[in-house]
Amino acid sequence: MTAIEILGLEKTYSVGFWRKKPKCALKPLHLRVEEGEIFGFLGPNGAGKTTTLKLLMGLVFPTAGSARILGMEVDDPRMKAQIGFLPEQPYFYDYLTARELLNYYGQLSGVASKERAHKIDEVLQRVGLPEVGGVQLRKFSKGMLQRVGIAQAILHDPKLVFFDEPMSGLDPMGRREVRDLMEQLKQEGKTVFFSTHILSDAEALCDRVAIIHKGELRGVGAVADLTSSVHGKVEIVWQGTTVPSSLRALGAECHVTGDTVRAVLSEANQDSAIEALRRERLRLISVIPVRTSLEDYFVQKLQPSEAVAGVRS
Amino acid sequence: MTGRIVHIASNTFREAVRDRVLYNLIAFALLMSGAAILVGQISIEIERLVVINLGLTAVSLFGTVIAIFIGIGLVSKEIERRTLYTVLSRPVRRWEFIVGKFFGLAGTLVVNAFFMAIGVFGALLYVSRHFQRADSWVLVALYFIILEFLIITALALLFSSFSSPLLSAVFAFALFVIGSFAEDLRGFAAMTHGLMRWLATGAAYLVPNFSALNVISSVAHQQAVSRELILYNTAYALIYATMALCGAVLIFEHRNLK
Ligand SMILES: Nc1ncnc2c1ncn2[C@@H]1O[C@H](COP(=O)(O)OP(=O)(O)O)[C@@H](O)[C@H]1O
Ligand SMILES: [Mg+2]
C-alpha cells in the first residue's frame, strides 16, 4: 500500500515586507512512498526538504497540488493519530519536564491514560534519556532536545514517521543510535520518511531515496540503482615519483607521496593507464576500485547541466 | 474533541502558573491591606466606598493587564518558537487549539480574580466589621469584570493570530481604553450628522462596550444592579467574545506557520 502520495505539490512564498516578491521553495513535486520503506529525502541546505515536510504536516498550505498520507487528506485527524513528526531543530514548551511534555502530547494523540506512563518510560529509554524525565526542558542541550523530539514522534506508536534532519545536533554515537532506531522502526513494520543533507546517513539505511535541489526533484530510486549509473573510479598506485604524461592526458588526479604515486581516474580509462605504466616500466603496486557512492551521484545531480555534460564527454 | 480542548486549556493554565503570573496576587494583597489600614484611620463613612472602589478597580486592571500580556503571545509566541509544529501534527484541529488557549487563559483569570475577590471581601470585613445585604452586589460587579476578561482575552487572541505581540498589545490596550468610554462614544456619534454619523455610530458599536460592564462605583454606593443589565451584559459579552474568537479561528485556519 502507498504510505505517502504527493501529487504536484508546489509552494511559492512571498518574501519582503512591502513589495512582495515570489520565492519558489518547491516546484511541482510528484512522489510515492510505499508502506514499510525507509525513504530518504536528500538535498543540500535550502533545497526545499523542510518545506515539503511542512506541507505534508499541514503547517503551511500548498500553492498548488495535493498529497495523501495513509490514503487520507493531510488535515484528517484520523491520519494524524497514526503519524509522528520530528521537526527540524525542535523546540518544546520549556516550562515542562520531558515527562510532562510527553504526557501532554500523549493526551493530544489520544493515548489512553492507563498506557501513558508506561509508554513514556519506554520511549525515554529508547531515545537514551531514561534519567532526565523529571528535568525541565529549558535545561536540555540541543542534542537532548533532538532526542526528546524523536521520543514525541514515536510515543503514540505511529504507523508512519516523518523526521526532518533527525541526526542534526547529535554526536557520532547519537547518530548511530538514531540510525539503529530507524532500522528498528522498519523492522516493526513502520514507514520512515526522513530528510537529510548528509549522504552517508542515507546510504546505509534507505530502501529508496529522492534527491531534491532548488525545489526540484532530481532523481528517485534505490540507492544501488542510482549509484550504478555513476561512472566508477579506480585508484592506481605505483612505485616511483614520475607521472607519465599520457596518464595526465587521461584525466588522472595524481598525488606523489614519498616514493609512490597515487592516481585516481575513471574506470573506463583503467586499461590504458596500466598500459602506459608498463610502457614506462614503472612498478605497479595496486589497482583498487574506489567505491562509487551516493555522494558521486549527488554531486553529479547538483552540478549545473553543462558541467555534467563535461563529465560525460 | 472536548478532551483535547481541555488538555490544551490546562496546559495554558500551567504555563501561566509556572511563569509566576499569580505572583501579582502578592502585589494585590499588599495594596488591599495597605488601603484597608489607611482608610480605617481616616473616616468611617467612606471606608466601604473606598475599599470597594479601589478593590474592584484593581481586580479589573490587574486582570486586564494579565489578559493582554499573556493573550497577545498565546498564538504568535507558539508560532515564533515553533512549539506549534508538534501540536498541530497531532490530531488537533486548529480551531481546537484556539479555543483551548482561550479557556486556558480565561481560567487563569477566573482563578486569579477569585483570590482577589477574597482579598476585597476580607478588606471589607476588616473596615466595617460585618457584611451588609448590599455587599452581594459586589459579586455582580465581579461577575461583570470576568465578562470583561472574556472579551479582552478573545480580542487579544484575535490580534495574536495575525500580528506580532507588540502590535497586538498596542491594539488591545487601545481597544480597552476606547471601550471604557464606549457609552460616551455612542453619545458623541449621535450628535454628528450625515455620513459621519454612520461611521461614528458603526465604530462606537464595534468597540467593546466596557462602560456597561463597569458598575463598580454604583455598587460602591450600594445601588442595586438591574436584572436586565445582568442579562444584557451576559449576552453581550458572550456574543462579543464568540465573534472575536471566530475571527481568530478564521484567520488562524488559513495561516502559514513560519
Ligand atoms: N517562510 C518562508 N518564507 C520565505 N521563504 C522561505 C520560507 N521557508 C523557506 N523558504 C525558502 O524556501 C527554500 C527551501 O527551504 P527549506 O525547505 O527550509 O530547505 P531545506 O529544508 O531543504 O534546507 C529556501 O530557499 C528558503 O529560503
Ligand atoms: Mg530543512
Side-chain angles (χ1 to χ4, degrees):
Chain A
M1 216 185 107
T2 310
I4 308 168
E5 192 173 19
I6 299 175
L7 300 165
L9 213 52
E10 185 181 345
K11 182 67 186 177
T12 303
Y13 288 108
S14 47
V15 288
F17 181 70
W18 191 240
R19 295 171 79 182
K20 304 235 173 198
K21 272 184 283 175
K23 164 96 183 66
C24 183
L26 187 65
K27 300 197 176 137
L29 172 71
H30 296 269
L31 199 62
R32 281 171 78 100
V33 176
E34 300 303 323
E35 254 176 26
E37 300 194 273
I38 299 184
F39 193 95
F41 199 48
L42 314 186
N45 295 320
K49 306 180 296 290
T50 299
T51 301
T52 307
L53 281 162
K54 281 162 77 176
L55 286 165
L56 291 176
M57 292 302 109
L59 299 172
V60 298
F61 299 102
T63 310
S66 66
R68 294 179 79 78
I69 298 173
L70 301 173
M72 290 176 259
E73 301 291 329
V74 293
D75 63 350
D76 193 327
R78 286 172 303 162
M79 175 275 283
K80 289 196 169 171
Q82 298 177 54
I83 63 163
F85 174 49
L86 165 73
E88 188 175 26
Q89 294 169 5
Y91 190 81
F92 304 104
Y93 301 107
D94 57 9
Y95 53 90
L96 298 180
T97 66
R99 192 174 290 278
E100 284 168 339
L101 181 89
L102 293 175
N103 190 51
Y104 177 47
Y105 282 165
Q107 289 172 331
L108 293 183
S109 286
V111 178
S113 55
K114 278 176 290 177
E115 294 171 42
R116 235 179 281 138
H118 165 70
K119 284 212 161 148
I120 291 169
D121 285 334
E122 188 183 283
V123 89
L124 281 174
Q125 185 75 42
R126 207 163 168 188
V127 299
L129 295 174
E131 279 121 36
V132 291
V135 178
Q136 270 194 340
L137 292 167
R138 59 166 58 104
K139 299 189 184 121
F140 275 42
S141 71
K142 196 163 172 283
M144 287 159 87
L145 282 178
Q146 186 77 14
R147 287 164 189 260
V148 173
I150 294 170
Q152 61 81 32
I154 59 174
L155 169 72
H156 47 291
D157 203 20
K159 270 168 100 169
L160 165 59
V161 290
F162 296 86
F163 291 154
D164 197 355
E165 308 269 2
M167 276 82 154
S168 84
L170 294 177
D171 52 33
M173 273 301 287
R175 287 167 175 273
R176 171 43 125 336
E177 286 165 24
V178 171
R179 251 201 310 268
D180 291 347
L181 182 109
M182 285 201 264
E183 250 156 17
Q184 283 165 23
L185 290 172
K186 180 190 155 89
Q187 231 101 77
E188 293 164 21
K190 302 184 193 313
T191 314
V192 180
F193 182 94
F194 78 101
S195 81
T196 182
H197 63 275
I198 300 163
L199 295 157
S200 53
D201 287 343
E203 200 163 12
L205 196 62
C206 295
D207 297 303
R208 287 197 308 145
V209 295
I211 290 170
I212 179 172
H213 183 48
K214 293 189 174 156
E216 202 175 8
L217 191 67
R218 297 290 176 93
V220 195
V223 176
D225 293 345
L226 290 184
T227 49
S228 71
S229 73
V230 179
H231 298 296
K233 292 199 167 171
V234 286
E235 185 192 69
I236 301 178
V237 183
W238 66 88
Q239 204 155 39
T241 51
T242 50
V243 178
S245 55
S246 55
L247 225 82
R248 289 216 192 270
L250 294 172
E253 293 170 41
C254 302
H255 305 274
V256 184
T257 35
D259 61 349
T260 57
V261 185
R262 207 160 46 83
V264 176
L265 44 79
S266 162
E267 211 170 35
N269 294 331
Q270 179 184 330
D271 290 346
S272 6
I274 294 170
E275 200 72 17
L277 292 176
R278 285 231 179 88
R279 254 184 278 124
E280 302 278 331
R281 299 187 182 284
L282 290 162
R283 209 180 126 230
L284 199 62
I285 296 176
S286 65
V287 180
I288 302 167
V290 178
R291 199 167 66 97
T292 58
S293 67
L294 209 47
E295 195 120 9
D296 295 310
Y297 180 78
F298 205 59
V299 168
Q300 203 184 72
K301 282 292 169 190
L302 301 193
Q303 273 164 350
S305 45
E306 64 272 25
V308 172
V311 168
R312 287 214 187 92
S313 66
Chain B
M1 169 204 100
T2 43
R4 286 191 296 273
I5 293 175
V6 171
H7 297 315
I8 292 168
S10 54
N11 191 50
T12 307
F13 180 80
R14 181 161 57 178
E15 175 173 14
V17 172
R18 296 214 175 152
D19 281 347
R20 306 193 171 83
V21 166
L22 297 182
Y23 279 20
N24 79 94
L25 290 170
I26 297 172
F28 181 81
L30 289 177
L31 182 79
M32 280 323 289
S33 37
I37 292 165
L38 216 67
V39 164
Q41 289 169 354
I42 304 170
S43 138
I44 309 164
E45 277 306 300
I46 61 158
E47 58 201 7
R48 293 174 42 80
L49 188 78
V50 172
V51 165
I52 293 176
N53 251 321
L54 185 79
L56 292 182
T57 306
V59 173
S60 162
L61 279 182
F62 275 61
T64 301
V65 169
I66 294 173
I68 292 177
F69 273 102
I70 300 184
I72 54 170
L74 277 184
V75 178
S76 48
K77 203 176 73 189
E78 295 230 2
I79 293 178
E80 201 58 39
R81 295 190 178 169
R82 295 178 287 118
T83 44
L84 256 179
Y85 287 13
T86 39
V87 173
L88 292 185
S89 58
R90 291 175 194 280
V92 175
R93 298 268 192 191
R94 287 190 176 203
W95 70 263
E96 292 172 343
F97 178 76
I98 295 281
V99 174
K101 283 274 160 189
F102 173 79
F103 282 115
L105 179 51
T108 310
L109 292 166
V110 168
V111 169
N112 200 53
F114 173 77
F115 286 117
M116 288 185 171
I118 293 177
V120 173
F121 280 107
L124 208 54
L125 194 62
Y126 174 81
V127 295
S128 61
R129 306 287 161 217
H130 59 92
F131 288 126
Q132 303 174 6
R133 243 189 91 88
D135 290 343
S136 57
W137 298 117
V138 172
L139 286 175
V140 176
L142 279 167
Y143 170 65
F144 284 2
I145 289 172
I146 284 173
L147 292 180
E148 178 184 292
F149 292 164
L150 296 186
I151 295 179
I152 295 173
T153 301
L155 282 173
L157 250 168
L158 171 64
F159 297 137
S160 178
S161 66
F162 67 86
S163 84
S164 70
L166 186 66
L167 273 182
S168 306
V170 172
F171 289 149
F173 268 114
L175 267 189
F176 172 66
V177 173
I178 297 170
S180 302
F181 299 105
E183 304 277 17
D184 300 327
L185 217 59
R186 291 177 187 187
F188 167 74
M191 287 190 293
T192 56
H193 301 282
L195 180 66
M196 187 62 197
R197 180 170 188 154
W198 284 102
L199 290 177
T201 311
Y205 280 87
L206 202 62
V207 298
N209 185 356
F210 292 136
S211 28
L213 287 167
N214 186 345
V215 292
I216 294 176
S217 78
S218 69
V219 162
H221 286 98
Q222 311 202 354
Q223 287 163 4
V225 182
S226 75
R227 186 196 295 231
E228 288 73 37
L229 188 64
I230 296 177
L231 282 177
Y232 168 81
N233 274 346
T234 303
Y236 178 82
L238 291 185
I239 292 169
Y240 201 103
T242 307
M243 301 278 271
L245 217 51
C246 287
V249 167
L250 278 179
I251 292 167
F252 188 58
E253 286 278 352
H254 297 104
R255 194 165 164 186
N256 283 314
L257 301 190
K258 193 174 72 85

